[in-house]
Amino acid sequence: EMEREIGKVKSGRLNSDANPVWSSLGPAGVQYSLPNWGIVSGRVRAIAIHPTDPLTVYIGAASGGIWKTTNGGVNWQDIGHDLESLAFGAIAIDPNNPEVIYAGSGECCYLTGILQFNGKGLFKSTDGGQSWNLITNGIGTITHFGDIAVSPFNSNLVLSAIASGYSYTGDSLPNEGIWRSIDAGMTWNRMLNVQDAYDIVYHPTDANKVYAAIGGGNDNAGIYISTDQGISWTQNNTGLPPANLIDRIQIDISQSYPSILYAVIFNLDATVTRAYKSVNGGASWVQISAGTNLGGYYDGWYDQGWYDLCIAVDPANPNHVFLGNVELHQTTNGSAFFPVRPYGGGNHNGGYTHFDIQKLVFSPSDPDFFYIGCDGGVYKSTDNGQTATSQNQGLETMQFYRIASHPTNPHILLGGMQDNSTAMTTDGVNWHDVTGGDGMECFFNPNPDTIYTSAQCGYLLRSVNGGASFDFIANFNGAWIAPFFMHPTNHKILYTANRSVMRSTNAGTSWTIIASNVALEYINTMAQSQVNPDHMIFATGGTQGPVPGSQIFVKVSIDGGYNWSDVTANIPGETRYIARVVTDPVDASTMYVVRTGFSPGNKVYKTTNLGQSWTNISGDLPDLPCSDLFIDPENINNLYLANDIGVYLSI
């Protein structure tokens, strides 16, 4: 579908005089209120460092493409904005020819969800990232790369680890496993057919030996060793937990003492991460730092090893190892790990990086240079990891959930972002965070001194001084992106929802449940008519049920949200996840439902009679997951739809 749409763009068949012109408002980094975190950007999942130059680095962002620096992050060049994928999970440089770069698209994760995006294959550059070729031969066009490794002894020999991660494509894809190329990445064959292949490391002195880390929580999980350059593999879990408890696993090898390897393993049932060490080349393993929490601390210890997990061994010191989870951890004796908090305190705010550590890489030529990829972007250390500073200025990689504009000043914007709070700009250029957490729904009162923001799962905040400070007003433990909006004419009335619908009549100071347990699962999208505020619509997304889509409901109210009628069965087409419901700006009886996921011609439906009947207006939209719909209030024939490839306009 993406190839067909890109073909239309390139051929000019999608060009129209009615198309708007877009320009970037950034942010090219957000100034964070925690000084030690500095400027933050979006999630970085992949890092590769030039084999002889520690200042030349490539990074892959979760939604922001591929970026390159030649001065250690002072400046960045966007070298991936024209590629068919903007999500990258792995990058590798040919150590024998550093102009050759491999970038694996798509992020991997143990628990599939809506936070990790799929890619569409492997991209290769032979000119230092200035141009790229897409390769799908063998590995396919839907990919979630865990790792890519080029043999230090043979540039033609490349191995890749592929897993899964995006809920709309499923958690058991047909191309998962360890793949091998003997022609420098042009064609591929799968050598290990397993789920959730996460990591690969070459032995630094034995050209035949390679290690792979396989998760998945089944009999195939664990450490695999190949002694024939990746052709055949032997599982060896001696000393590791039972294979069914190895849900995600990452490994690394000591470059100076290659008989020493480290592994970090996450188990979902116990929600715990454990570290292991081998001193005999992977023949057996022992747990190290037993009893140590290897997640992160905020209001108590918690572990996200299903989402962020990584490990790196100092090339010059086999006892010096960093481990990443919610927080960064370090051992200097090869045994005991401790959180890295040079700024003090008893939680992750004392670290020198944003939390949620995704990738750790030492420079192969100078281990004093150490780069950290996390949900706040990329950080660099020049003293072997003892201190580090943000290198995010210039990176445009933020993942926005919602944006809001000031009622009178178009340069003042507010936006909620994945893992990077809610940020604000007053000049359309420079951004700073105003409230924490994962930034979600946000909006301005027509009196712009009053501003509302929210964080994940319905954590609601209010400012009465134009965003200078915010106060907590409620937490209703709802959907990841919980509804939160203002009545169109009475600006003291606010609404939010979990499985029930709540209303405040005093700007959020107190709340009343006006429709109790009206949904079987969390309401994830809700809208109110701007013409007749008694007319409302909500939908449950369908992500909480035992079977995907089993608890998707669309309901309509005509009395201001007190009573709701189920109109789900009236909507034709296959029942799918619902990303958004929208009300028409001029007709109180007209509403829209946006379905997402993959289902041809099953994207947007319209009702003109409050849900009694619906018309499929998907038209020629591609079969790609959809996110949002906007109706131009000055010309209601103009509909804008957002999906995984871009913005579409119908006139």
Side-chain angles (χ1 to χ4, degrees):
E1 291 292 288
M2 294 178 73
E3 287 173 352
R4 279 195 286 271
E5 296 306 295
I6 291 168
K8 292 178 186 178
V9 174
K10 290 180 177 178
S11 69
R13 284 181 288 149
L14 285 187
N15 290 339
S16 166
D17 291 338
N19 281 351
V21 176
W22 295 89
S23 59
S24 174
L25 298 177
V30 171
Q31 181 61 55
Y32 204 74
S33 55
L34 198 64
N36 41 303
W37 289 3
I39 293 174
V40 299
S41 65
R43 181 163 78 242
V44 168
R45 294 297 303 262
I47 299 175
I49 306 173
H50 191 285
T52 60
D53 178 8
L55 299 180
T56 296
V57 183
Y58 299 81
I59 65 167
S63 297
I66 306 172
W67 297 73
K68 177 182 180 180
T69 179
T70 57
N71 53 19
V74 176
N75 304 105
W76 291 95
Q77 179 186 4
D78 179 1
I79 59 173
H81 62 275
D82 287 333
L83 301 182
E84 290 90 335
S85 176
L86 289 179
F88 286 89
I91 295 181
I93 301 174
D94 182 350
N96 312 297
N97 180 3
E99 290 296 295
V100 175
I101 317 296
Y102 297 90
S105 64
E107 305 175 81
C108 71
C109 187
Y110 175 62
L111 291 177
T112 59
I114 61 172
L115 302 183
Q116 302 81 34
F117 288 95
N118 60 286
K120 64 171 284 118
L122 176 73
F123 294 84
K124 180 182 178 181
S125 174
T126 57
D127 54 11
Q130 299 312 299
S131 63
W132 298 87
N133 292 315
L134 173 61
I135 300 168
T136 59
N137 190 325
I139 58 177
T141 57
I142 296 178
T143 52
H144 295 272
F145 273 86
D147 199 14
I148 304 169
V150 184
S151 169
F153 307 98
N154 179 359
S155 292
N156 288 318
L157 179 57
V158 189
L159 296 176
S160 294
I162 297 180
S164 60
Y166 190 29
S167 63
Y168 296 150
T169 53
D171 58 3
S172 182
L173 298 176
N175 60 348
E176 296 183 48
I178 300 295
W179 291 78
R180 184 174 188 261
S181 173
I182 56 174
D183 56 7
M186 300 310 296
T187 60
W188 293 84
N189 292 290
R190 181 161 49 187
M191 313 311 296
L192 190 57
N193 189 351
V194 292
Q195 288 181 265
D196 292 327
Y198 290 121
D199 220 345
I200 303 165
V201 291
Y202 278 97
H203 194 285
T205 59
D206 185 341
N208 294 310
K209 185 171 282 189
V210 195
Y211 298 87
I214 309 299
N218 55 49
D219 290 343
N220 294 321
I223 301 291
Y224 285 75
I225 304 174
S226 173
T227 56
D228 55 11
Q229 300 182 2
I231 298 173
S232 60
W233 296 85
T234 301
Q235 185 182 21
N236 192 337
N237 289 358
T238 302
L240 297 179
N244 65 342
L245 301 182
I246 301 175
D247 294 321
R248 183 169 174 184
I249 177 172
Q250 307 288 151
I251 58 172
D252 199 15
I253 190 169
S254 167
Q255 298 294 309
S256 51
Y257 291 87
S259 60
I260 297 177
L261 295 95
Y262 292 84
V264 57
I265 297 173
F266 172 77
N267 172 238
L268 180 63
D269 289 339
T271 316
V272 65
T273 294
R274 299 182 177 94
Y276 292 82
K277 181 179 182 179
S278 174
V279 296
N280 53 15
S284 62
W285 298 81
V286 295
Q287 185 179 359
I288 59 174
S289 205
T292 302
N293 287 302
L294 297 177
Y297 190 92
Y298 187 65
D299 290 328
W301 281 95
Y302 63 108
D303 197 311
Q304 288 186 171
W306 57 272
Y307 170 67
D308 37 40
L309 196 67
C310 49
I311 195 164
V313 185
D314 186 333
N317 181 355
N319 291 317
H320 184 213
V321 184
F322 284 98
L323 182 155
N325 191 306
V326 175
E327 290 190 70
L328 184 66
H329 303 258
Q330 178 181 211
T331 178
T332 56
N333 61 8
S335 179
F337 280 99
F338 298 95
V340 178
R341 298 173 184 157
Y343 292 89
N347 59 41
H348 58 49
N349 288 340
Y352 51 54
T353 75
H354 188 291
F355 52 78
D356 289 344
I357 313 299
Q358 303 282 0
K359 188 68 176 179
L360 302 170
V361 183
F362 283 95
S363 166
S365 62
D366 184 351
D368 279 346
F369 284 82
F370 175 59
Y371 289 84
I372 302 118
C374 63
D375 278 17
V378 61
Y379 291 75
K380 178 184 71 179
S381 172
T382 58
D383 56 10
N384 201 231
Q386 301 317 297
T387 63
T389 55
S390 162
Q391 305 296 315
N392 292 303
Q393 184 69 58
L395 290 175
E396 294 185 335
T397 55
M398 287 294 191
Q399 297 175 289
F400 278 90
Y401 282 115
R402 298 287 187 263
I403 56 173
S405 58
H406 188 280
T408 59
N409 186 339
H411 298 295
I412 298 177
L413 298 169
L414 196 64
M417 299 169 289
Q418 164 63 29
D419 246 345
N420 278 298
S421 311
T422 297
M424 188 174 183
T425 177
T426 57
D427 58 9
V429 177
N430 299 296
W431 295 73
H432 62 280
D433 71 310
V434 292
T435 56
D438 295 273
M440 300 294 178
E441 294 281 5
C442 54
F443 52 92
F444 289 86
N445 188 296
N447 172 2
D449 283 342
T450 300
I451 304 173
Y452 296 90
T453 69
S454 64
Q456 65 270 30
C457 306
Y459 190 95
L460 313 180
L461 302 108
R462 177 184 64 199
S463 171
V464 294
N465 54 16
S469 62
F470 282 78
D471 294 316
F472 167 80
I473 56 175
N475 182 12
F476 287 108
N477 296 311
W480 181 247
I481 310 175
F484 184 34
F485 57 92
M486 179 185 293
H487 191 283
T489 58
N490 186 337
H491 304 136
K492 293 287 187 180
I493 297 178
L494 307 175
Y495 296 89
T496 188
N498 44 38
R499 290 183 176 89
S500 301
V501 177
M502 281 71 70
R503 186 179 72 168
S504 171
T505 58
N506 52 17
T509 301
S510 61
W511 294 81
T512 302
I513 297 175
I514 61 172
S516 179
N517 293 319
V518 72
L520 294 178
E521 67 161 86
Y522 295 140
I523 297 166
N524 72 301
T525 177
M526 185 174 172
Q528 183 175 34
S529 171
Q530 304 296 294
V531 183
N532 182 350
D534 283 341
H535 292 183
M536 304 176 76
I537 181 172
F538 77 64
T540 59
T543 58
Q544 305 292 325
V547 178
S550 64
Q551 296 189 41
I552 294 175
F553 292 95
V554 179
K555 293 189 176 184
V556 171
S557 173
I558 58 173
D559 63 358
Y562 288 92
N563 295 284
W564 296 83
S565 299
D566 189 347
V567 300
T568 315
N570 300 341
I571 307 174
E574 181 185 2
T575 301
R576 303 295 294 180
Y577 298 95
I578 294 173
R580 204 73 153 141
V581 293
V582 180
T583 57
D584 192 90
V586 300
D587 186 343
S589 298
T590 297
M591 299 172 170
Y592 301 81
V593 163
V594 180
R595 284 180 173 157
T596 190
F598 293 97
S599 180
N602 187 28
K603 304 303 177 188
V604 186
Y605 291 83
K606 177 181 180 179
T607 178
T608 58
N609 54 16
L610 294 170
Q612 297 309 300
S613 62
W614 296 79
T615 302
N616 185 349
I617 61 166
S618 304
D620 57 355
L621 285 171
D623 186 16
L624 293 169
C626 299
S627 301
D628 205 358
L629 180 73
F630 177 77
I631 300 100
D632 185 342
E634 295 183 2
N635 182 352
I636 60 170
N637 288 319
N638 286 358
L639 307 183
Y640 295 87
L641 180 126
N643 68 12
D644 274 12
I645 195 173
V647 178
Y648 285 74
L649 167 67
S650 170
I651 57 174

